Amino acid sequence: MSFVEYGDTIKDGDTAIVFLGHESMFPVKVQHGTVTQTKYGVIRHSTDLIGKKYGSKVTCSKGGWVFILHPTPELWTMNLPHRTQILYSTDISIITMMLELKPGSVVCESGTGSGSLSHALIRTVAPTGHLYTVEFHQQRAEKAREEFREHGVEHLVTVTNQDVCKNGFGVSNIADAVFLDIPSPWEAIGHAKSALKAEGGRICSFSPCIEQVQRTCLAMEEYGFTEINTLEILLRVYNVRTISLQIPDLGKAAEENSSTDFDSSNPSNQGSPCANLQQGTVQFKSGVPLREMVGHTGYLTFATKS
Amino acid sequence: AMEDGLRPGPRISEGDCAVLKRDDVFKAVPVLRRRKIIFEKQWFYLDNAIGHIYGTTFEVTSGGNLQPKQEVEEATTETKEAGTDNRNIVDDGKSQKLTHDDIKALKDKGIKGQEIVQQLIENSTTFRDKTEFAQDKYIKKKKKKYEAVITIVKPSTRILSTMYYAREPGKINHLRYDTLAQMLTLGNIRAGNKMIVMETCAGLVLGAVMERMGGNLAFQCGFDSFALIGYGSIIQMYPGGGPVRAATSCFGFPKLFFDNLHEFPLSKVDSLLSGTFSTETLPSEPEDNVLAEEESNGLTDEKQTALQETEEESTTEVAMEINQTEEQETMDVNAEDVDFKENKEKENKENVREKQRKQWERRKKLIETAALLREKNADGLIVASKFHPTPLLLSLLEFVAPSRPFVVYCQYKEPLLECYTKLRERGGVVNLKLSETWLRNYQVLPDRSHPKLTMSGGGGYLLSGITVVLDKGKSDSSNSEALKMEEPSSKRCKVQDLHC
């Protein structure tokens, strides 16, 4: 297992994802002799995990079962221990595409935070690219290094413990792209520019507040960045539900009622258990938006150095 | 911008696929000499652009020549004068002292756009009374109209997917670029994967997957080591006579990228799954003009979609330059065919032998691809087509290894609802998620920041999930999980933190 390469079987030392049910899962470090508690009972690593295929169903001691999944940056994002607020896959997706990242790209990032974006960046630039990530908080920087080691990607990333606004990324004329998720990104735009290759590259800054965006855009313009563009992406998730709506009683006679089967004559509904006018309900499938959704994560400002 | 000579970076060369850019408008074109290009109501030749660095901005001069734009200091209006509000500005239609004819005369004289804009400002009686913001807006509008500049950029998924969504959304099933971005991430697309791709998006999705799997590898490590590392492999499933790759060709990938790109006809999937597949039953047999026949099939296919397109949205300018050259080439092949038939028998025989050799090669590739599929160990499945997704998913997931992601795109939500239900019945998948993204663009200017007036109304829907080992004994899939899936999220019981 590694975060940049699929493996078929679970091995000692792997990070695996224990999947219990709908969006309910957690990561586990596989180790001989260790046991993990779940609500379905105990998982014994030596017998239940090691040597099994990823994607297998594992029966726990109480008879319930879980699936063991191969780690991916997306599953990691959903399960990682938070040391900071993190970026989620929806934002990460558009960042990756708009920064034009691909295998071989060299990327600078700050701050490292909890490493949610870092794992996704490393995945994309592997096997020949590199991530230079800067984190001013010493403990967080150290923890990130440790995680990268555990996840078998340390050769693809350099973690530097310094203040990006004061000291920059520690590299110059090397990056194809720069990403900033810090409170005052406008103070790092100059450093970002010198980190980027002489031939140019792309930059992205993530900020929750419009005032931050404002200042960042001005700084980008000042440093000669072009194609400055701010956007926001929102994820809408739908629950798939079977809904049944009651037919109102308008006082029509029962025999008449059964002949006005407006619904079952509709070809799109044939073959599905839809109209049941005798019982006075109509059933249909619907994608129901969640009662509450994330309305704002941050503004993403992109620009080009040319 | 720096002097071209000093700047490193890839240079525009003949035969490249390049993208023209003016503000937010893109157009993909092949770089060819002595070829007239029409873009944003201007015409020009790319000859002079050859040798310059990608990212260079050009001015269109008389005779359709391109000249690198000199960075000039903005002529700051002497003493900035501006009004505070518009209470005294009256629209009498007479504020501009220059007539249409005057402006035309300026243009005909070959006066630079920048100077025309300056003249328009000087001859506008209301300009000084406008607020500073309104003045800015006025200048921006006039610049857009009279300053003929274009930038030539290197193609990428970012640029091509925005371009297609704006210019030809019908050809890519209205797949918005942020939705495509989600697909690449949800599918964990990266170097080394063995991917199955089924798309009818002109090859745009295929190109995006190839970029994420191949990237700069070929340039960085040279051809030999590239072959060693490999970027993985892609199996493209195609309907009809052959895969459409018009958009794929816009990416300008090196030839090497196509070595590990395989293709397999959808119509043979069932026989492959049931074990009755044999190459003997292939549709195209065994006449000497198999090749021509197949290519013309592909051509009519494209023409048909193009036709549907024009019916749907007759105002949009269809068919990119690159598509045109492709069609041109295919037609050339057909024309050559006719020539050959008129030629001597000897050459004809050689021609037949050549065709047979190609046919044999195609069959060999097909057998190889079938073998790759039969391993049933693909690292993911990407579907983005005009077809109903359910049958595609139910069949193609058979070729995917357990614990691998899959993503299905559909322009409409309803087919994905059915697909979701059918996949739950089938089992072998977890973490099913039906989603959509909204994209909002912002204007950010000092004291004038707000969301842009318009946003896209629809960019399609995604159904994603992860494969798991399929239980043959269906009975236990009625376990707690299946029930939980359709429950509203509020009822979900949270797992206690049980990290070991």
Side-chain angles (χ1 to χ4, degrees), chain B residues 97-161:
Chain B
K97 295 301 172 206
L98 290 180
T99 63
H100 274 293
D101 291 341
D102 294 339
I103 297 167
K104 193 171 178 296
L106 286 175
K107 272 207 238 168
D108 290 345
K109 263 193 266 175
I111 304 272
K112 281 204 171 169
Q114 215 171 343
E115 283 163 38
I116 298 180
V117 175
Q118 198 55 43
Q119 294 232 26
L120 284 169
I121 293 171
E122 278 161 21
N123 286 289
S124 163
T125 53
T126 49
F127 186 80
R128 271 157 219 279
D129 301 328
K130 286 177 193 281
T131 64
E132 213 178 303
F133 298 152
Q135 288 180 353
D136 265 6
K137 206 169 167 182
Y138 181 87
I139 295 171
K140 235 183 195 167
K141 236 165 108 180
K142 296 300 171 194
K143 267 191 176 171
K144 196 174 174 183
K145 192 162 176 192
Y146 294 103
E147 283 190 16
V149 291
I150 57 148
T151 307
I152 301 184
V153 295
K154 250 193 130 26
S156 66
T157 302
R158 165 177 76 99
I159 286 164
L160 293 175
S161 59

Side-chain angles (χ1 to χ4, degrees), chain A:
Chain A
M1 176 287 324
S2 126
F3 272 64
V4 291
E5 203 179 352
Y6 282 119
D8 285 335
T9 54
I10 305 163
K11 293 186 186 70
D12 191 23
D14 279 7
T15 298
I17 308 291
V18 179
F19 185 92
L20 294 102
H22 186 60
E23 282 194 7
S24 156
M25 50 187 141
F26 59 87
V28 64
K29 204 180 149 193
V30 180
Q31 274 176 310
H32 265 299
T34 310
V35 295
T36 297
Q37 293 283 346
T38 77
K39 63 177 171 184
Y40 299 130
V42 167
I43 302 171
R44 285 171 217 289
H45 292 204
S46 305
T47 51
D48 296 338
L49 297 183
I50 294 169
K52 288 259 177 68
K53 243 176 126 87
Y54 274 108
S56 299
K57 181 186 274 188
V58 170
T59 308
C60 307
S61 61
K62 288 183 196 162
W65 40 260
V66 297
F67 285 105
I68 308 297
L69 300 180
H70 197 288
T72 65
E74 287 60 53
L75 287 173
W76 182 246
T77 288
M78 285 192 264
N79 294 290
L80 58 82
H82 284 219
R83 302 183 282 272
T84 55
Q85 178 64 260
I86 62 160
L87 279 167
Y88 289 92
S89 299
T90 313
D91 284 311
I92 291 173
S93 307
I94 196 95
I95 291 166
T96 309
M97 182 197 266
M98 291 301 181
L99 288 181
E100 305 193 332
L101 303 184
K102 52 196 174 191
S105 298
V106 175
V107 193
C108 289
E109 176 201 33
S110 189
T112 315
S114 306
S116 170
L117 176 69
S118 313
H119 278 81
L121 295 175
I122 292 167
R123 173 264 317 276
T124 303
V125 306
T128 50
H130 201 83
L131 171 67
Y132 295 89
T133 184
V134 176
E135 170 61 55
F136 71 171
H137 191 284
Q138 200 203 329
Q139 208 183 354
R140 287 203 288 256
E142 199 41 59
K143 194 78 193 122
R145 280 194 198 105
E146 193 185 314
E147 268 173 15
F148 295 139
R149 250 193 319 272
E150 270 180 25
H151 296 162
V153 296
E154 65 200 300
H155 58 296
L156 295 163
V157 53
T158 306
V159 186
T160 310
N161 176 212
Q162 64 187 29
D163 184 349
V164 74
C165 297
K166 290 204 182 88
N167 310 108
F169 292 93
V171 289
S172 57
N173 291 326
I174 194 174
D176 297 289
V178 172
F179 178 80
L180 293 170
D181 178 7
I182 52 172
S184 52
W186 57 90
E187 291 176 11
I189 299 296
H191 293 300
K193 192 180 179 183
S194 54
L196 286 165
K197 283 177 179 163
E199 62 188 86
R202 296 274 294 165
I203 185 172
C204 173
S205 172
F206 174 94
S207 295
C209 306
I210 198 74
E211 291 81 2
Q212 293 170 300
V213 176
Q214 194 89 254
R215 298 180 76 165
T216 308
C217 285
L218 284 174
M220 284 177 173
E221 222 173 290
E222 196 182 308
Y223 280 97
F225 282 92
T226 56
E227 284 191 286
I228 302 168
N229 181 29
T230 300
L231 57 85
E232 184 183 27
I233 185 166
L234 290 175
L235 179 72
R236 287 175 66 83
V237 177
Y238 298 96
N239 280 325
V240 179
R241 309 274 290 279
T242 306
I243 311 283
S244 61
L245 291 183
Q246 239 185 312
I247 303 294
D249 178 9
L250 297 176
K252 280 188 183 169
E255 57 267 42
E256 227 181 298
N257 201 350
S258 60
S259 64
T260 58
D261 51 349
F262 59 88
D263 202 50
S264 57
S265 66
N266 182 343
S268 72
N269 282 319
Q270 263 165 25
S272 54
C274 272
N276 194 343
L277 291 165
Q278 274 79 14
Q279 286 168 25
T281 61
V282 175
Q283 280 199 337
F284 60 92
K285 287 257 174 218
S286 179
V288 186
L290 305 187
R291 209 165 53 83
E292 210 167 47
M293 62 175 266
V294 175
H296 180 69
T297 54
Y299 301 105
L300 291 164
T301 302
F302 295 93
T304 304
K305 173 188 174 183
S306 52

Side-chain angles (χ1 to χ4, degrees), chain B residues 31-297:
Chain B
V31 179
L32 297 169
R33 287 184 195 274
R34 290 177 296 281
R35 194 186 155 102
K36 194 170 175 175
I37 291 195
I38 299 165
F39 175 55
E40 289 283 278
K41 292 176 189 158
Q42 300 175 73
W43 60 268
F44 47 85
Y45 296 90
L46 290 177
D47 298 48
N48 286 349
I50 293 170
H52 285 284
I53 286 155
Y54 276 101
T56 307
T57 300
F58 296 91
E59 260 174 302
V60 182
T61 60
S62 54
N65 287 318
L66 292 182
Q67 216 172 56
K69 189 175 190 278
Q70 305 293 319
E71 205 59 36
V72 264
E73 286 293 306
E74 291 284 307
T76 39
T77 27
E78 327 79 61
T79 42
K80 271 207 169 174
E81 245 184 277
T84 48
D85 58 44
N86 59 11
R87 75 182 76 191
N88 294 319
I89 294 181
V90 182
D91 182 10
D92 56 3
K94 290 179 203 153
S95 60
Q96 181 53 252
K97 295 301 172 206
L98 290 180
T99 63
H100 274 293
D101 291 341
D102 294 339
I103 297 167
K104 193 171 178 296
L106 286 175
K107 272 207 238 168
D108 290 345
K109 263 193 266 175
I111 304 272
K112 281 204 171 169
Q114 215 171 343
E115 283 163 38
I116 298 180
V117 175
Q118 198 55 43
Q119 294 232 26
L120 284 169
I121 293 171
E122 278 161 21
N123 286 289
S124 163
T125 53
T126 49
F127 186 80
R128 271 157 219 279
D129 301 328
K130 286 177 193 281
T131 64
E132 213 178 303
F133 298 152
Q135 288 180 353
D136 265 6
K137 206 169 167 182
Y138 181 87
I139 295 171
K140 235 183 195 167
K141 236 165 108 180
K142 296 300 171 194
K143 267 191 176 171
K144 196 174 174 183
K145 192 162 176 192
Y146 294 103
E147 283 190 16
V149 291
I150 57 148
T151 307
I152 301 184
V153 295
K154 250 193 130 26
S156 66
T157 302
R158 165 177 76 99
I159 286 164
L160 293 175
S161 59
T162 2
M163 177 188 83
Y164 261 95
Y165 190 73
R167 294 177 80 90
E168 305 189 281
K171 277 205 171 155
I172 55 166
N173 303 297
H174 295 256
L175 168 71
R176 210 206 289 127
Y177 44 97
D178 54 309
T179 313
L180 176 59
Q182 302 303 311
M183 295 181 74
L184 298 170
T185 298
L186 290 170
N188 194 23
I189 311 295
R190 62 175 172 204
N193 279 7
K194 171 177 173 178
M195 293 301 304
I196 300 177
V197 177
M198 162 55 205
E199 65 129 290
T200 60
C201 294
L204 178 71
V205 176
L206 176 71
V209 171
M210 285 170 78
E211 185 185 271
R212 280 293 171 86
M213 290 176 64
N216 294 330
L217 292 183
F219 307 109
Q220 279 188 344
C221 46
F223 292 93
D224 293 343
S225 40
F226 177 78
L228 267 177
I229 298 171
Y231 64 84
S233 53
I234 303 172
I235 304 163
Q236 184 183 15
M237 316 297 292
Y238 63 88
V244 177
R245 291 179 185 158
T248 321
S249 67
C250 296
F251 282 82
F253 291 129
K255 283 230 160 37
L256 209 65
F257 270 42
F258 293 87
D259 288 355
N260 288 326
L261 173 59
H262 309 269
E263 56 211 48
F264 193 81
L266 262 187
S267 56
K268 292 286 144 195
V269 165
D270 260 355
S271 65
L272 189 66
L273 283 171
S274 63
T276 58
F277 171 79
S278 94
T279 52
E280 299 308 316
T281 61
L282 283 175
S284 49
E285 290 294 296
E287 307 307 317
D288 57 350
N289 56 354
V290 169
L291 209 67
E293 205 180 296
E294 288 202 353
E295 292 204 22
S296 62
N297 276 351

